[in-house]
Structure formats: structure tokens, C-alpha cells
Amino acid sequence: MQKAKQLSDTINKFFTLFVLLIVLIALFLPKPGTLIATTKVGNLSAVSILLMIVLFGMGITLTPADFKRVVQKPVQALMGTVAHYVIMPFLAFLLVHLFGLTGAAAVGVILVGSAPSGTASNVMSFLAGGDVALDVSIGLLSTLLAPFMLPLLLKMLAGKWVDVPFQSMFLSAFEIVVIPVALGLTVHMVFQKHVQKIINVMPLVSQVMIVLIILAVLSANSKTILAVSTLALIPIVMLHNLLGYLFGFLFAKLLKMDTAQQKAITFEVGMQDSALASTLAISFFEPASAISAVIFSVWHNISGSVLASIWKNH
């Protein structure tokens, strides 16, 4: 288990480089990734199953104390979750219209903006000296609300470009998100004396699963990934993330939260669960609508690491 933890720490430290390597593999050797993207197990795609494993890993690290914390101090967690589901979707909608995006490109940006906060935000908040407990609470709430909020926001903001199957998307998101988290929590509660070994290895498993998801999405779009229209998404995705940090920070500042809480809110607003966004994009829309999520996945790890380092050193 110690070796698994050391490997996990190494991958986490160089995660962006690993992702860039996966990008090259997807572009020049797309067959393995395409196989993952097109494989189904029953009604579930392989990509969905990979994400469910990630969310099971999130669930198994949770305890009743995490839920108790939300109940005991609900205001900051609720306000942070509201900020996440207001600021990022609004910014996505604004950027889509500002840059004149349409079709799959517009849907992809809005889909990323409507996703819950990403698990990487907890790591960045920890490195920056933020309120990690608040981070976990907001991440938990935004994730549990995702089956309802994500299709609702997508229908409101992207309905002009695509038909959003609200009921099917809700059920799929519930199956992919809530059930694995609940299952992980249950395993932790039932086998709490023996579960630590699993918890120690889950970060490594989750990192591998996320890398495979990125490989699958990029490989499925390998023929169009270098198109001008695709490359034009890069500055838009970067701007979306950076504005999310800015407005998240200003929101926390406006509510007069302390410094650690401001850092937590900043990361929770600006960092998205891009793996969920890309999974739903492949499942319900054109594969090209998943490209924004993959770009976001690479970029927010870079920007989050830089911001955490600045805060840590100052």
C-alpha cells in the first residue's frame, strides 16, 4: 500500500505531464482510446463505468462526519454551492455568446460550466492553505445536486442548440454520480475497520480512471482535435476557469469570509468535474461536445497548481 501511495503522489505531482502524454497518444495512436469510448457494458458505456469508479473512490473517503459538518455549518457550504451553480454556468453562457460559439462547441462549454465542482479542488485548497473541510462540503453538495442541476442548466442555457433529454440525463447522472458515492459511503460505514487500505489506494485508481477517460474522449475526436474551431476553444476554456476563480474569490470576499474560506470558495467555484461533463457529452450529444471538458481538465490542473503555489508562498 505504501508503494501505491508513493506512485499516487508521483502521478499527482506530474499529473499535467501525464495528461499531455495521453494527448499525444490519443492524437497519434487513437485506436485504444476509441475502443474504450465505443465499448459498452450493458446499458453503460465504458467511460461511464470509469467515472463511477472515481466517484466510488470519492464516496469511500466520506464519513457521516462530513454530512454532520454540512448540517452544523450550512451557510458557507450552501452559499459556496449556490455560487458554483450560478457563476460558472453564467460565465459559460456569456463566453459562448461573446465568442459566437454554436452547436457542439457551445454545448460543450455550457456543459462544463454546469458540472459540479471537481475533486482536484480539494487538493489545490489543501496546498494553498484553504478550508479543506468547507471544500469537501461544497464538493459533496454540488455533486449530489448534479443529477438535477446539470440537465436543468443545460436545458435553460443550451436548449437552442441541442435537445436536452432532461429525464434520461437526470437518471443517467443519478446512476453515474449518486449511486457510486452512496455505495462508497456505505462500504466505509460497514467495513470501517478494514477500509483504510482501500482508501489509501483509491487516489491512484481514480487518477488512472481519469487519464483513461481523457484518452477515450480525445481519441474519439482525434480527427477534429487539431481543427481551427477546436483550437479556438482553448482560450475560451482558459478564460472560463480564470474568471471562475476571480468571481468565486470576490463572492467570498463580499460575504466577508475568512482567508481560508476565500481560498476554498475560489477553487470550488473555478474547478469543474470535467470528467463527468465529458462522460455525459459522449453519452447524450456529439463527441465533439466533450472537447471543452478535456481542455478544461488539462488547464484547471495547471492553473490550480499555480494559484495554490502563489497563495502558499504569499
Side-chain angles (χ1 to χ4, degrees):
M1 289 299 173
Q2 186 63 30
K3 289 183 178 180
K5 187 178 185 304
Q6 290 174 349
L7 181 57
S8 177
D9 291 341
T10 301
I11 292 177
N12 190 56
K13 185 177 181 180
F14 299 103
F15 188 73
T16 302
L17 293 178
F18 280 110
V19 172
L20 292 175
L21 177 61
I22 288 298
V23 170
L24 294 176
I25 293 173
L27 289 177
F28 299 104
L29 192 64
K31 192 173 180 179
T34 303
L35 182 62
I36 297 172
T38 55
T39 298
K40 284 199 169 188
V41 180
N43 294 325
L44 290 171
S45 68
V47 173
S48 297
I49 293 172
L50 294 174
L51 181 59
M52 290 170 77
I53 295 171
V54 174
L55 290 164
F56 173 80
M58 173 188 173
I60 207 169
T61 63
L62 297 173
T63 66
D66 293 309
F67 293 89
K68 187 178 179 181
R69 188 187 303 118
V70 176
V71 174
Q72 288 177 333
K73 296 183 178 180
V75 177
Q76 289 92 343
L78 287 172
M79 293 306 294
T81 305
V82 169
H84 180 87
Y85 276 123
V86 170
I87 292 173
M88 290 305 278
F90 173 75
L91 286 174
F93 184 77
L94 189 67
L95 289 169
V96 160
H97 286 274
L98 187 64
F99 287 91
L101 299 181
T102 58
V107 172
V109 172
I110 292 174
L111 184 55
V112 172
S114 303
S117 61
T119 53
S121 60
N122 299 342
V123 177
M124 301 307 172
S125 183
F126 170 74
L127 294 175
D131 188 335
V132 179
L134 178 59
D135 250 287
V136 172
S137 298
I138 296 171
L140 177 60
L141 282 176
S142 67
T143 298
L144 294 178
L145 287 171
F148 176 76
M149 292 302 300
L150 211 157
L152 175 66
L153 289 167
L154 200 60
K155 194 172 184 67
M156 289 171 54
L157 303 177
K160 65 183 287 186
W161 294 293
V162 69
D163 180 31
V164 180
F166 186 95
Q167 185 175 354
S168 299
M169 204 169 187
F170 171 84
L171 292 173
S172 180
F174 186 87
E175 183 179 33
I176 293 172
V177 176
V178 178
I179 292 177
V181 171
L183 183 60
L185 176 63
T186 303
V187 169
H188 191 142
M189 291 173 64
V190 174
F191 302 102
Q192 52 186 315
K193 292 182 180 180
H194 310 283
V195 80
Q196 193 58 47
K197 290 182 180 180
I198 302 175
I199 292 176
N200 288 340
V201 79
M202 281 312 297
L204 174 60
V205 174
S206 296
Q207 288 162 335
V208 172
M209 297 302 106
I210 290 174
V211 166
L212 289 175
I213 291 171
I214 293 172
L215 174 64
V217 174
L218 280 176
S219 297
N221 293 281
S222 59
K223 293 181 180 178
T224 58
I225 198 72
L226 294 178
V228 174
S229 57
T230 300
L231 295 176
L233 286 173
I234 295 176
I236 298 172
V237 169
M238 292 170 66
L239 191 58
H240 188 194
N241 167 243
L242 295 176
L243 288 174
Y245 290 151
L246 175 62
F247 283 102
F249 176 77
L250 293 175
F251 176 84
K253 197 89 171 173
L254 183 65
L255 293 183
K256 298 181 179 179
M257 294 184 181
D258 63 39
T259 302
Q261 291 172 337
Q262 290 172 16
K263 293 175 181 179
I265 297 291
T266 299
F267 286 116
E268 283 300 314
V269 170
M271 300 187 80
Q272 303 293 88
D273 190 344
S274 48
L276 175 60
S278 59
T279 301
L280 293 177
I282 286 180
S283 299
F284 289 96
F285 309 112
E286 294 179 46
S289 61
I291 293 175
S292 295
V294 175
I295 297 172
F296 199 101
S297 182
V298 177
W299 168 250
H300 81 168
N301 280 289
I302 297 172
S303 65
S305 299
V306 171
L307 180 57
S309 178
I310 291 172
W311 260 332
K312 183 180 181 181
N313 294 321
H314 299 84

